[in-house]
Amino acid sequence: PVPADLLRIRGDATRGKPAQLVAFGAPCTGALAGRGCKATSPETLPTIAGTVQASLAGMPADFMLMRSGPAGIAIDRDALTMLPALPAAARELQMVARVFPGRSRVALGEDATESAVRAARVEPGAVLMFATHGLAAGAFGLSEPGLVLTPPQTPSREDDGLLTAAEVSALKLPDAFVILSACNTAGVRSIEALDPYAGFARAFFAAGAKSLLVTQFEVADEAAARLTTRTLADVKKGVGRSEALRRSV
């Protein structure tokens, strides 16, 4: 962040017990695309995870599912739905929702759309979380990073299944603690941008976020789930966010 951003978010940015969780993830891609993908509550998440896990049968024992996409594919609806489904992302949101009993709103599967993100009411100081594929600027020819959500049957300018940094900056996220459980959500690979915290981080700060948990590399599906759930469980108990993250590793 630029100095002005740091001054604005200093103080109690890393402390405080968040009361609300708003989360989006496990979009309809890979094994879930075209199969109804209607499991949209934490209670039905095991169905999603089971469907995806079955699709991975026969993969090598050391196969590691990553929360990014393969290079060399142009981004459109078909390309987004070809990205592998993320079974651990579904379980991750199930576990995180339990940390906020009665105070979580989780949109999964066909409900995890750009339109749902824009319509969500994020209370001051809430946790806003995404568990999905992250596409870095420069990948797929993108000029800015994006978070993959469920693409609609008929993409539009407002909802094409990819939430970009520019679209994030227009959201209203007062003092939110934002967790981007996806690949490359801090790193930038665009030609012009040299600031390693540009892109998503700058966009979420512009939208009002007070602190972020982001990645500067590709992350494995299972590892990302363990890290975020452990971190949030401690944060909910009052542990500082930096310390909670350190303990989770």
Side-chain angles (χ1 to χ4, degrees), residues 2 24 31 34 43 48 52 74 84-85 89-90 101 107 117 121 128 143-144 157 164 186 205 225-226 237:
V2 297
F24 302 87
E43 292 74 19
I48 290 182
V52 179
V117 172
R121 181 179 179 275
L128 174 64
S143 60
E144 59 180 330
R157 184 173 182 178
T164 65
F205 282 136
R226 289 195 299 270
K237 297 174 184 176

PDB file of all heavy atoms in Angstrom, residues 2 24 31 34 43 48 52 74 84-85 89-90 101 107 117 121 128 143-144 157 164 186 205 225-226 237:
ATOM      1  N   VAL A   2       0.333   2.330  -0.475  1.00  0.00           N
ATOM      2  CA  VAL A   2       1.040   3.604  -0.440  1.00  0.00           C
ATOM      3  C   VAL A   2       0.988   4.122   0.986  1.00  0.00           C
ATOM      4  O   VAL A   2       0.186   3.665   1.811  1.00  0.00           O
ATOM      5  CB  VAL A   2       0.388   4.607  -1.411  1.00  0.00           C
ATOM      6  CG1 VAL A   2       0.496   4.105  -2.837  1.00  0.00           C
ATOM      7  CG2 VAL A   2      -1.075   4.845  -1.047  1.00  0.00           C
ATOM      8  N   PHE A  24     -17.622 -16.381  -0.129  1.00  0.00           N
ATOM      9  CA  PHE A  24     -17.975 -16.865  -1.464  1.00  0.00           C
ATOM     10  C   PHE A  24     -16.924 -17.883  -1.897  1.00  0.00           C
ATOM     11  O   PHE A  24     -15.725 -17.690  -1.677  1.00  0.00           O
ATOM     12  CB  PHE A  24     -18.001 -15.706  -2.473  1.00  0.00           C
ATOM     13  CG  PHE A  24     -18.944 -14.601  -2.109  1.00  0.00           C
ATOM     14  CD1 PHE A  24     -18.514 -13.567  -1.284  1.00  0.00           C
ATOM     15  CD2 PHE A  24     -20.248 -14.598  -2.562  1.00  0.00           C
ATOM     16  CE1 PHE A  24     -19.381 -12.538  -0.922  1.00  0.00           C
ATOM     17  CE2 PHE A  24     -21.127 -13.583  -2.199  1.00  0.00           C
ATOM     18  CZ  PHE A  24     -20.684 -12.554  -1.375  1.00  0.00           C
ATOM     19  N   ALA A  31     -15.530 -30.476 -12.239  1.00  0.00           N
ATOM     20  CA  ALA A  31     -16.480 -31.574 -12.058  1.00  0.00           C
ATOM     21  C   ALA A  31     -17.874 -31.092 -11.690  1.00  0.00           C
ATOM     22  O   ALA A  31     -18.843 -31.830 -11.833  1.00  0.00           O
ATOM     23  CB  ALA A  31     -15.968 -32.534 -10.991  1.00  0.00           C
ATOM     24  N   GLY A  34     -22.091 -27.806 -15.043  1.00  0.00           N
ATOM     25  CA  GLY A  34     -23.062 -28.543 -15.831  1.00  0.00           C
ATOM     26  C   GLY A  34     -23.729 -29.695 -15.112  1.00  0.00           C
ATOM     27  O   GLY A  34     -24.418 -30.490 -15.714  1.00  0.00           O
ATOM     28  N   GLU A  43     -24.348 -26.873   5.154  1.00  0.00           N
ATOM     29  CA  GLU A  43     -24.780 -28.220   5.503  1.00  0.00           C
ATOM     30  C   GLU A  43     -24.670 -29.183   4.319  1.00  0.00           C
ATOM     31  O   GLU A  43     -24.524 -30.388   4.498  1.00  0.00           O
ATOM     32  CB  GLU A  43     -26.223 -28.195   6.003  1.00  0.00           C
ATOM     33  CG  GLU A  43     -26.406 -27.495   7.350  1.00  0.00           C
ATOM     34  CD  GLU A  43     -26.302 -25.990   7.247  1.00  0.00           C
ATOM     35  OE1 GLU A  43     -26.445 -25.453   6.130  1.00  0.00           O
ATOM     36  OE2 GLU A  43     -26.061 -25.348   8.283  1.00  0.00           O
ATOM     37  N   ILE A  48     -20.743 -31.427  -2.412  1.00  0.00           N
ATOM     38  CA  ILE A  48     -19.821 -30.801  -3.364  1.00  0.00           C
ATOM     39  C   ILE A  48     -18.459 -31.466  -3.270  1.00  0.00           C
ATOM     40  O   ILE A  48     -17.867 -31.877  -4.258  1.00  0.00           O
ATOM     41  CB  ILE A  48     -19.691 -29.289  -3.091  1.00  0.00           C
ATOM     42  CG1 ILE A  48     -20.984 -28.570  -3.457  1.00  0.00           C
ATOM     43  CG2 ILE A  48     -18.537 -28.690  -3.877  1.00  0.00           C
ATOM     44  CD1 ILE A  48     -20.921 -27.074  -3.262  1.00  0.00           C
ATOM     45  N   VAL A  52     -16.399 -33.676  -6.271  1.00  0.00           N
ATOM     46  CA  VAL A  52     -15.099 -33.281  -6.798  1.00  0.00           C
ATOM     47  C   VAL A  52     -14.049 -34.336  -6.499  1.00  0.00           C
ATOM     48  O   VAL A  52     -13.215 -34.668  -7.339  1.00  0.00           O
ATOM     49  CB  VAL A  52     -14.672 -31.925  -6.207  1.00  0.00           C
ATOM     50  CG1 VAL A  52     -13.305 -31.539  -6.730  1.00  0.00           C
ATOM     51  CG2 VAL A  52     -15.682 -30.851  -6.596  1.00  0.00           C
ATOM     52  N   ALA A  74      -7.334 -18.708 -23.269  1.00  0.00           N
ATOM     53  CA  ALA A  74      -8.011 -17.411 -23.292  1.00  0.00           C
ATOM     54  C   ALA A  74      -9.187 -17.452 -22.331  1.00  0.00           C
ATOM     55  O   ALA A  74      -9.880 -18.464 -22.217  1.00  0.00           O
ATOM     56  CB  ALA A  74      -8.489 -17.087 -24.704  1.00  0.00           C
ATOM     57  N   PRO A  84     -10.335 -26.626 -12.616  1.00  0.00           N
ATOM     58  CA  PRO A  84     -10.755 -27.717 -11.729  1.00  0.00           C
ATOM     59  C   PRO A  84     -11.567 -27.224 -10.545  1.00  0.00           C
ATOM     60  O   PRO A  84     -11.331 -26.129 -10.026  1.00  0.00           O
ATOM     61  CB  PRO A  84      -9.423 -28.329 -11.266  1.00  0.00           C
ATOM     62  CG  PRO A  84      -8.417 -27.242 -11.457  1.00  0.00           C
ATOM     63  CD  PRO A  84      -8.869 -26.476 -12.663  1.00  0.00           C
ATOM     64  N   ALA A  85     -12.542 -28.019 -10.141  1.00  0.00           N
ATOM     65  CA  ALA A  85     -13.291 -27.721  -8.924  1.00  0.00           C
ATOM     66  C   ALA A  85     -12.362 -27.907  -7.728  1.00  0.00           C
ATOM     67  O   ALA A  85     -11.358 -28.614  -7.804  1.00  0.00           O
ATOM     68  CB  ALA A  85     -14.506 -28.629  -8.816  1.00  0.00           C
ATOM     69  N   ALA A  89     -11.907 -26.160  -0.847  1.00  0.00           N
ATOM     70  CA  ALA A  89     -12.538 -24.849  -0.700  1.00  0.00           C
ATOM     71  C   ALA A  89     -13.934 -25.000  -0.116  1.00  0.00           C
ATOM     72  O   ALA A  89     -14.370 -24.198   0.712  1.00  0.00           O
ATOM     73  CB  ALA A  89     -12.604 -24.132  -2.047  1.00  0.00           C
ATOM     74  N   ALA A  90     -14.633 -26.043  -0.536  1.00  0.00           N
ATOM     75  CA  ALA A  90     -15.962 -26.305   0.013  1.00  0.00           C
ATOM     76  C   ALA A  90     -15.879 -26.653   1.494  1.00  0.00           C
ATOM     77  O   ALA A  90     -16.613 -26.107   2.327  1.00  0.00           O
ATOM     78  CB  ALA A  90     -16.622 -27.445  -0.763  1.00  0.00           C
ATOM     79  N   PRO A 101     -21.257 -19.032  14.328  1.00  0.00           N
ATOM     80  CA  PRO A 101     -22.605 -19.617  14.379  1.00  0.00           C
ATOM     81  C   PRO A 101     -23.690 -18.546  14.363  1.00  0.00           C
ATOM     82  O   PRO A 101     -23.683 -17.616  15.169  1.00  0.00           O
ATOM     83  CB  PRO A 101     -22.598 -20.400  15.702  1.00  0.00           C
ATOM     84  CG  PRO A 101     -21.526 -19.749  16.524  1.00  0.00           C
ATOM     85  CD  PRO A 101     -20.477 -19.326  15.552  1.00  0.00           C
ATOM     86  N   ALA A 107     -22.050 -18.039   0.279  1.00  0.00           N
ATOM     87  CA  ALA A 107     -22.601 -18.292  -1.057  1.00  0.00           C
ATOM     88  C   ALA A 107     -21.680 -19.264  -1.782  1.00  0.00           C
ATOM     89  O   ALA A 107     -20.501 -18.979  -1.993  1.00  0.00           O
ATOM     90  CB  ALA A 107     -22.722 -16.982  -1.835  1.00  0.00           C
ATOM     91  N   VAL A 117     -21.862 -11.009  -4.925  1.00  0.00           N
ATOM     92  CA  VAL A 117     -20.837 -10.226  -4.231  1.00  0.00           C
ATOM     93  C   VAL A 117     -21.265  -8.765  -4.142  1.00  0.00           C
ATOM     94  O   VAL A 117     -21.167  -8.127  -3.081  1.00  0.00           O
ATOM     95  CB  VAL A 117     -19.475 -10.347  -4.947  1.00  0.00           C
ATOM     96  CG1 VAL A 117     -18.465  -9.389  -4.333  1.00  0.00           C
ATOM     97  CG2 VAL A 117     -18.959 -11.779  -4.876  1.00  0.00           C
ATOM     98  N   ARG A 121     -24.293  -7.415   1.880  1.00  0.00           N
ATOM     99  CA  ARG A 121     -24.128  -6.353   2.864  1.00  0.00           C
ATOM    100  C   ARG A 121     -23.043  -6.784   3.852  1.00  0.00           C
ATOM    101  O   ARG A 121     -23.227  -7.720   4.614  1.00  0.00           O
ATOM    102  CB  ARG A 121     -25.439  -6.079   3.607  1.00  0.00           C
ATOM    103  CG  ARG A 121     -25.315  -4.945   4.628  1.00  0.00           C
ATOM    104  CD  ARG A 121     -26.643  -4.677   5.327  1.00  0.00           C
ATOM    105  NE  ARG A 121     -26.498  -3.612   6.316  1.00  0.00           N
ATOM    106  CZ  ARG A 121     -26.075  -3.809   7.565  1.00  0.00           C
ATOM    107  NH1 ARG A 121     -25.770  -5.035   7.953  1.00  0.00           N
ATOM    108  NH2 ARG A 121     -25.949  -2.812   8.408  1.00  0.00           N
ATOM    109  N   LEU A 128     -14.624 -10.832   5.203  1.00  0.00           N
ATOM    110  CA  LEU A 128     -15.059 -11.133   3.838  1.00  0.00           C
ATOM    111  C   LEU A 128     -14.054 -12.117   3.261  1.00  0.00           C
ATOM    112  O   LEU A 128     -12.860 -11.828   3.198  1.00  0.00           O
ATOM    113  CB  LEU A 128     -15.097  -9.870   2.978  1.00  0.00           C
ATOM    114  CG  LEU A 128     -15.395 -10.098   1.488  1.00  0.00           C
ATOM    115  CD1 LEU A 128     -16.791 -10.681   1.290  1.00  0.00           C
ATOM    116  CD2 LEU A 128     -15.232  -8.802   0.696  1.00  0.00           C
ATOM    117  N   SER A 143      -5.138  -8.065 -17.923  1.00  0.00           N
ATOM    118  CA  SER A 143      -4.423  -6.842 -17.567  1.00  0.00           C
ATOM    119  C   SER A 143      -4.493  -6.564 -16.072  1.00  0.00           C
ATOM    120  O   SER A 143      -3.795  -5.693 -15.567  1.00  0.00           O
ATOM    121  CB  SER A 143      -5.015  -5.642 -18.335  1.00  0.00           C
ATOM    122  OG  SER A 143      -6.387  -5.474 -18.010  1.00  0.00           O
ATOM    123  N   GLU A 144      -5.337  -7.297 -15.348  1.00  0.00           N
ATOM    124  CA  GLU A 144      -5.465  -7.143 -13.908  1.00  0.00           C
ATOM    125  C   GLU A 144      -5.871  -8.482 -13.307  1.00  0.00           C
ATOM    126  O   GLU A 144      -6.390  -9.346 -14.009  1.00  0.00           O
ATOM    127  CB  GLU A 144      -6.491  -6.061 -13.559  1.00  0.00           C
ATOM    128  CG  GLU A 144      -7.884  -6.341 -14.118  1.00  0.00           C
ATOM    129  CD  GLU A 144      -8.875  -5.245 -13.754  1.00  0.00           C
ATOM    130  OE1 GLU A 144      -8.703  -4.627 -12.694  1.00  0.00           O
ATOM    131  OE2 GLU A 144      -9.809  -5.023 -14.534  1.00  0.00           O
ATOM    132  N   ARG A 157     -21.509  -7.678 -19.016  1.00  0.00           N
ATOM    133  CA  ARG A 157     -20.443  -6.799 -18.543  1.00  0.00           C
ATOM    134  C   ARG A 157     -20.410  -6.770 -17.020  1.00  0.00           C
ATOM    135  O   ARG A 157     -19.356  -6.644 -16.409  1.00  0.00           O
ATOM    136  CB  ARG A 157     -20.668  -5.386 -19.090  1.00  0.00           C
ATOM    137  CG  ARG A 157     -19.567  -4.404 -18.749  1.00  0.00           C
ATOM    138  CD  ARG A 157     -19.771  -3.091 -19.457  1.00  0.00           C
ATOM    139  NE  ARG A 157     -18.701  -2.154 -19.174  1.00  0.00           N
ATOM    140  CZ  ARG A 157     -18.617  -0.942 -19.704  1.00  0.00           C
ATOM    141  NH1 ARG A 157     -19.553  -0.522 -20.562  1.00  0.00           N
ATOM    142  NH2 ARG A 157     -17.613  -0.155 -19.393  1.00  0.00           N
ATOM    143  N   THR A 164     -12.759  -8.769 -11.003  1.00  0.00           N
ATOM    144  CA  THR A 164     -11.445  -8.162 -11.213  1.00  0.00           C
ATOM    145  C   THR A 164     -11.132  -7.124 -10.143  1.00  0.00           C
ATOM    146  O   THR A 164     -12.005  -6.683  -9.394  1.00  0.00           O
ATOM    147  CB  THR A 164     -11.381  -7.485 -12.587  1.00  0.00           C
ATOM    148  OG1 THR A 164     -12.320  -6.390 -12.614  1.00  0.00           O
ATOM    149  CG2 THR A 164     -11.722  -8.482 -13.695  1.00  0.00           C
ATOM    150  N   ALA A 186      -1.702 -11.391  -3.948  1.00  0.00           N
ATOM    151  CA  ALA A 186      -0.937 -10.169  -3.658  1.00  0.00           C
ATOM    152  C   ALA A 186       0.006  -9.843  -4.793  1.00  0.00           C
ATOM    153  O   ALA A 186       0.280  -8.680  -5.072  1.00  0.00           O
ATOM    154  CB  ALA A 186      -0.140 -10.315  -2.361  1.00  0.00           C
ATOM    155  N   PHE A 205      -8.227  -2.241  -0.313  1.00  0.00           N
ATOM    156  CA  PHE A 205      -8.040  -1.079   0.556  1.00  0.00           C
ATOM    157  C   PHE A 205      -8.890   0.086   0.055  1.00  0.00           C
ATOM    158  O   PHE A 205      -9.500   0.804   0.846  1.00  0.00           O
ATOM    159  CB  PHE A 205      -6.565  -0.674   0.602  1.00  0.00           C
ATOM    160  CG  PHE A 205      -5.731  -1.544   1.497  1.00  0.00           C
ATOM    161  CD1 PHE A 205      -4.489  -1.994   1.072  1.00  0.00           C
ATOM    162  CD2 PHE A 205      -6.176  -1.917   2.759  1.00  0.00           C
ATOM    163  CE1 PHE A 205      -3.711  -2.804   1.897  1.00  0.00           C
ATOM    164  CE2 PHE A 205      -5.406  -2.724   3.590  1.00  0.00           C
ATOM    165  CZ  PHE A 205      -4.165  -3.164   3.153  1.00  0.00           C
ATOM    166  N   ALA A 225      -6.914 -24.354   2.865  1.00  0.00           N
ATOM    167  CA  ALA A 225      -8.051 -24.577   3.760  1.00  0.00           C
ATOM    168  C   ALA A 225      -7.605 -24.679   5.214  1.00  0.00           C
ATOM    169  O   ALA A 225      -8.225 -24.099   6.112  1.00  0.00           O
ATOM    170  CB  ALA A 225      -8.803 -25.843   3.347  1.00  0.00           C
ATOM    171  N   ARG A 226      -6.528 -25.408   5.458  1.00  0.00           N
ATOM    172  CA  ARG A 226      -6.047 -25.553   6.834  1.00  0.00           C
ATOM    173  C   ARG A 226      -5.595 -24.216   7.409  1.00  0.00           C
ATOM    174  O   ARG A 226      -5.897 -23.883   8.561  1.00  0.00           O
ATOM    175  CB  ARG A 226      -4.895 -26.568   6.882  1.00  0.00           C
ATOM    176  CG  ARG A 226      -5.309 -28.008   6.663  1.00  0.00           C
ATOM    177  CD  ARG A 226      -4.205 -28.964   7.074  1.00  0.00           C
ATOM    178  NE  ARG A 226      -2.992 -28.749   6.296  1.00  0.00           N
ATOM    179  CZ  ARG A 226      -2.725 -29.373   5.153  1.00  0.00           C
ATOM    180  NH1 ARG A 226      -3.606 -30.230   4.649  1.00  0.00           N
ATOM    181  NH2 ARG A 226      -1.598 -29.155   4.517  1.00  0.00           N
ATOM    182  N   LYS A 237     -11.218 -15.757  18.737  1.00  0.00           N
ATOM    183  CA  LYS A 237     -10.969 -15.820  20.177  1.00  0.00           C
ATOM    184  C   LYS A 237     -10.287 -14.562  20.693  1.00  0.00           C
ATOM    185  O   LYS A 237     -10.068 -14.429  21.894  1.00  0.00           O
ATOM    186  CB  LYS A 237     -10.096 -17.034  20.498  1.00  0.00           C
ATOM    187  CG  LYS A 237     -10.732 -18.371  20.171  1.00  0.00           C
ATOM    188  CD  LYS A 237      -9.735 -19.504  20.390  1.00  0.00           C
ATOM    189  CE  LYS A 237     -10.314 -20.840  19.986  1.00  0.00           C
ATOM    190  NZ  LYS A 237      -9.317 -21.935  20.103  1.00  0.00           N
TER     191      LYS A 237
END
